[in-house]
Amino acid sequence: MDKKDINSYTVDEAIARLEEIQGLLENAGMDVEETVVLFEEGVSLYRLCREKLSALEERVKILSKSQDGEIIFTPFEVNDNEQ
């Protein structure tokens, strides 16, 4: 994947790049400077994913019916303890 402005990544692209960075960091042979640069990029991508996913979470609604058959929207909640 070509390196581009981190803010232009979609969540899927950011996750793919994070996986690529993980693979690069797992391989020996990189100097310390390259490792730190990749680690910094990974941290930035992680933060971007958290921000975008939090924004999406605000938009997600679970469609359900009340007891009287009326359609209601309930906010989607995520347990933050499951990280």
Side-chain angles (χ1 to χ4, degrees):
M1 176 180 292
D2 294 332
K3 188 173 177 182
K4 61 181 184 178
D5 178 37
I6 286 177
N7 291 321
S8 67
Y9 279 94
T10 65
V11 172
D12 291 334
E13 291 171 332
I15 290 170
R17 178 63 181 153
L18 278 168
E19 290 171 347
E20 183 180 346
I21 289 170
Q22 178 185 5
L24 292 169
L25 291 174
E26 288 174 348
N27 293 326
M30 293 177 55
D31 66 33
V32 174
E33 182 66 29
E34 289 174 307
T35 301
V36 170
V37 168
L38 282 174
F39 183 78
E40 289 173 335
E41 182 183 354
V43 169
S44 295
L45 288 165
Y46 169 79
R47 289 180 179 150
L48 175 77
C49 287
R50 291 286 298 172
E51 289 171 14
K52 288 189 176 210
L53 289 172
S54 290
L56 289 170
E57 181 181 334
E58 293 296 319
R59 295 174 49 199
V60 174
K61 302 288 181 184
I62 297 175
L63 182 63
S64 61
K65 289 186 179 182
S66 66
Q67 289 181 342
D68 62 357
E70 184 178 331
I71 296 175
I72 58 172
F73 291 93
T74 307
F76 179 75
E77 296 180 18
V78 173
N79 184 351
D80 284 337
N81 294 330
E82 297 179 12
Q83 294 182 14

